[in-house]
């Protein structure tokens, strides 16, 4: 009997498909967070080199702090949408890893448990000398002059243009072991994140959910040309069939 239980458990573990999701700003659009590159996107309102680059931080850190303070306030007013929730529900029957370029916490709040934030997290801060400490601040503001106990200035825990992406190798390993790769709501303009899709196994099933054309140079992509929420419903129908 015990042996039987072992065999059953083992089968269940072996049978679980691995679904890796690479998400971008588009998944949070229906929650009310603007994307970056769509018309009316954030990069029409702000210069990316001013607010999201390490050079911008050294030139004018006040503007950068203000930009992320506003993003935090906004994040406190929005909710995960059905696409985030359906992704979290995939965990019931699959081995799921979410790799997100988003700095919001909507995947967490929807219930996903394994999330790699490639570009950092809005609700966290770190000293600018990057000594490794990371502090949770929720939706609070930080200002120039706010320092850690050593007197080192605190900055948003965000990966800016011009900085390394520390999680990229871990993310690549996850993509390389996926049975199904789902790319959702990203224009794939920003590297190294955009290059992750090319780590997929040859026989992996690859899905793309985006209402617009996206430059994915892979032969076997199923493009569900819809918004994230309706696209996720279709994705689930297709992978459960
Ligand atoms: P982009 O703004 O570049 O791309 C958003 C994608 O979402 C586009 O392909 C849109 O067509 C799609 N989209 C728009 N509305 C959608 C919806 N309702 N449902 C599904 N898709 C929708 O955003 P990212 O690719 O995430 O980095 O940008 C990558 C990185 O560039 C960000 O992480 C950020 C930015 O600069 C940093 O700031 C470091």
């Amino acid at each position: 009997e015990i042996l039987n239980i072992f065999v059953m458990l083992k089968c269940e573990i072996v049978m679980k498909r691995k679904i890796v999701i690479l998400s971008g700003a588009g998944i949070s659009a229906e929650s009310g967070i603007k994307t970056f590159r769509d018309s009316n996107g954030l990069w029409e309102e702000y210069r990316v080199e001013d607010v999201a680059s390490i050079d911008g931080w050294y030139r004018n850190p006040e503007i950068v702090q203000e930009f992320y303070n506003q993003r935090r306030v906004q994040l406190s007013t929005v909710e995960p949408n059905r696409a985030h929730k359906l992704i979290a529900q995939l965990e019931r029957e699959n081995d799921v890893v979410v790799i997100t370029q988003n700095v919001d916490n909507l995947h967490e709040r929807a219930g996903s448990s394994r999330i790699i934030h490639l570009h950092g997290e809005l609700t966290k801060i770190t000293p600018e000398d990057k000594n490794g400490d990371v502090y949770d601040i929720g939706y609070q503001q930080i200002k120039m002059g706010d320092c850690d106990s050593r007197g080192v200035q605190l900055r948003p825990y965000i990966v800016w243009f011009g900085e390394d992406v520390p999680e990229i190798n871990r993310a690549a390993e996850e993509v390389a072991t996926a049975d199904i790769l789902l790319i959702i709501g990203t224009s794939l303009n920003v590297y190294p994140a955009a290059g992750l899709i090319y780590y997929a196994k040859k026989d992996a099933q690859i899905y793309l959910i985006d209402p617009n054309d996206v430059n994915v140079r892979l032969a076997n992509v199923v493009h569900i040309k819809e918004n994230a929420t309706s696209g996720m419903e279709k994705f689930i129908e297709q992978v459960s069939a």
Side-chain angles (χ1 to χ4, degrees):
E1 177 122 353
I2 288 178
L3 188 69
N4 267 346
I5 290 173
F6 268 136
V7 171
M8 278 164 59
L9 277 176
K10 192 152 185 259
C11 280
E12 195 163 312
I13 291 163
V14 172
M15 297 293 291
K16 271 198 171 181
R17 290 176 304 188
K18 177 156 179 174
I19 304 183
V20 173
I21 292 132
L22 175 64
S23 71
I27 196 174
S28 299
E30 289 161 90
S31 291
I33 298 184
K34 281 185 175 179
T35 63
F36 297 97
R37 294 176 185 79
D38 287 303
S39 64
N40 209 15
L42 272 179
W43 293 158
E44 277 183 2
E45 210 176 317
Y46 300 90
R47 279 158 42 104
V48 53
E49 55 275 35
D50 288 342
V51 297
S53 80
I54 187 66
D55 292 341
W57 169 258
Y58 288 130
R59 265 198 314 272
N60 194 338
E62 279 88 3
I63 290 183
V64 181
Q65 297 279 32
E66 188 46 35
F67 177 75
Y68 289 100
N69 283 337
Q70 283 177 21
R71 306 272 80 72
R72 259 180 239 114
V73 169
Q74 189 199 20
L75 182 54
S76 72
T77 68
V78 301
E79 297 293 332
N81 63 49
R82 184 144 174 81
H84 297 103
K85 289 180 188 155
L86 288 173
I87 286 175
Q89 286 173 21
L90 286 173
E91 288 188 22
R92 290 182 191 157
E93 289 181 7
N94 305 278
D95 177 15
V96 180
V97 177
V98 176
I99 302 170
T100 187
Q101 297 163 84
N102 298 345
V103 296
D104 66 48
N105 58 4
L106 298 180
H107 281 298
E108 284 85 345
R109 282 160 58 192
S112 283
S113 59
R114 288 162 73 197
I115 305 166
I116 298 177
H117 278 277
L118 288 173
H119 294 162
E121 292 172 71
L122 263 181
T123 54
K124 295 181 177 168
I125 55 172
T126 195
E128 69 170 343
D129 68 351
K130 293 205 180 149
N131 77 342
D133 287 341
V134 177
Y135 307 98
D136 227 308
I137 55 156
Y139 306 111
Q140 291 175 65
Q141 312 273 297
I142 49 165
K143 302 214 158 41
M144 294 314 290
D146 291 344
C147 296
D148 70 3
S149 56
R150 300 166 304 143
V152 178
Q153 176 64 46
L154 292 162
R155 56 164 269 186
Y157 182 58
I158 302 287
V159 175
W160 287 318
F161 287 100
E163 295 192 299
D164 286 342
V165 180
E167 295 281 33
I168 197 73
N169 290 339
R170 199 156 72 88
E173 281 165 24
E174 298 293 359
V175 173
T177 52
D179 300 308
I180 298 177
L181 173 66
L182 167 62
I183 306 157
I184 178 164
T186 171
S187 65
L188 294 175
N189 269 299
V190 175
Y191 284 80
L196 282 172
I197 63 171
Y198 303 106
Y199 286 84
K201 289 189 291 196
K202 276 211 173 63
D203 62 347
Q205 289 173 255
I206 303 182
Y207 289 86
L208 168 72
I209 299 177
D210 201 297
N212 298 305
D213 288 327
V214 178
N215 186 14
V216 180
R217 289 183 307 273
L218 288 170
N220 52 340
V221 180
V222 178
H223 188 174
I224 302 172
K225 212 165 179 183
E226 306 220 7
N227 284 340
T229 52
S230 56
M232 271 308 296
E233 309 268 4
K234 295 234 164 100
F235 168 78
I236 286 172
E237 275 167 30
Q238 293 198 23
V239 296
S240 357

